[in-house]
Amino acid sequence: MSEEKKAKVDHDTPPFSRLFVICSKNHDEDDIRAAFGECGNLQDVWLVRDRATQEKKGICYIKFEKASAAHLAIEKLHGETIGSDSKPLKVLLADSKGQNRSVAGDTKPRSRIFILISKSTSSDEVREIFAEYGTIDHIQIITDKKTGDSKGCAYVKYEKPSSAFLALEECPSNHKAVIAEPRVPRDSRNSMGDAGNVGPMGGAMQMRGFDARDNIPAPRQMDDHRHHSYNPSYPMVEPPQPHETISKFFLTNFSFLQM
């Protein structure tokens, strides 16, 4: 692929569609394309070389057209061998540009989606709609704690991340599907008080106005050196109003964010 074509590829759109692969120095681009191309449309393959010697370093980056294809490649090819070389591959999600590597949870599987539904929709009806994208582990319809009535939203947890991303890409648009961030460890939630419960019923979400990684409402004027901003190219929904139990916490500790 020419340098001109490579320059036109947006490696962060859609999010989670680029892979970092530890392979063999004997693998060439044809080996990589033959193996990974079976999982979906490839937009770019870059075998990293030593600048001085041009010798291959045994690592490469692979950009897929869709995030579901990238996750399918992880599920199918991680630990497998390709071509004539016997070295097993290590297939990982690549960091986005500007991503903070120290953020906990970034490498955890994203296999849940958050959806909007009618308040009269049952779990069985949700399963009927979303089972076509992959095997569902469980469904959680969000309900009012006092009345037990549906709030018109739900989580759908799949067995595989590729199924969650496929559902995100192909489900009816009225569900406003978004990928739910991996669950925050209990110790981390406790250390932040009620702040760990940001998002629908405690799920840290990639939602407009919320910083999913920091688990606090994102300020309207985002400073890149202090916070990670949401990716505007990703499907978003408007955030819910903060729960009463965390309102005092935010007003006391995060008044500078101008909620």
Side-chain angles (χ1 to χ4, degrees), residues 1-218:
M1 182 178 294
S2 68
E3 293 298 324
E4 182 181 355
K5 289 183 178 180
K6 286 186 178 182
K8 294 181 180 179
V9 176
D10 183 348
H11 291 98
D12 294 330
T13 304
F16 312 118
S17 60
R18 191 168 67 116
L19 302 179
F20 174 74
V21 180
I22 302 175
C23 54
S24 168
K25 292 182 179 180
N26 296 322
H27 287 136
D28 57 25
E29 185 170 333
D30 289 340
D31 293 327
I32 299 298
R33 287 186 175 276
F36 286 83
E38 294 182 358
C39 299
N41 292 333
L42 300 175
Q43 291 185 317
D44 189 24
V45 174
W46 175 37
L47 275 70
V48 181
R49 296 176 180 269
D50 185 276
R51 291 185 179 182
T53 65
Q54 290 300 302
E55 180 183 357
K56 288 179 288 188
K57 289 188 173 183
I59 57 177
C60 70
Y61 289 90
I62 302 171
K63 174 66 173 68
F64 281 91
E65 181 181 342
K66 295 183 178 181
S68 59
H71 285 77
L72 180 61
I74 295 174
E75 295 160 6
K76 291 183 63 175
L77 295 172
H78 181 70
E80 299 297 322
T81 60
I82 63 173
S84 58
D85 196 283
S86 60
K87 181 178 180 178
L89 301 175
K90 292 184 179 179
V91 186
L92 310 167
L93 278 178
D95 290 333
S96 299
K97 293 181 180 179
Q99 180 176 338
N100 186 344
R101 291 173 181 266
S102 66
V103 175
D106 280 351
T107 59
K108 292 182 179 180
R110 291 170 170 84
S111 55
R112 290 190 306 153
I113 61 173
F114 175 78
I115 59 171
L116 300 183
I117 57 175
S118 167
K119 290 184 178 181
S120 62
T121 301
S122 67
S123 294
D124 289 340
E125 290 171 324
V126 172
R127 186 177 297 274
E128 184 178 351
I129 296 171
F130 286 87
E132 69 174 282
Y133 307 113
T135 302
I136 294 174
D137 184 68
H138 66 266
I139 294 169
Q140 178 189 3
I141 292 181
I142 309 305
T143 58
D144 185 279
K145 290 184 178 180
K146 293 183 179 180
T147 66
D149 295 335
S150 169
K151 289 189 173 183
C153 53
Y155 287 107
V156 180
K157 171 72 167 62
Y158 286 92
E159 288 189 0
K160 296 180 179 181
S162 61
S163 299
F165 279 91
L166 184 62
L168 176 71
E169 294 159 359
E170 297 188 1
C171 76
S173 60
N174 62 296
H175 292 295
K176 306 292 184 183
V178 293
I179 289 291
E181 284 291 297
R183 292 183 180 276
V184 179
R186 185 172 298 275
D187 291 343
S188 298
R189 294 201 299 269
N190 291 340
S191 67
M192 294 185 65
D194 286 329
N197 289 326
V198 169
M201 303 303 290
M205 300 295 300
Q206 291 186 326
M207 302 175 69
R208 191 182 308 279
F210 277 79
D211 185 46
R213 295 191 177 107
D214 291 341
N215 291 318
I216 59 176

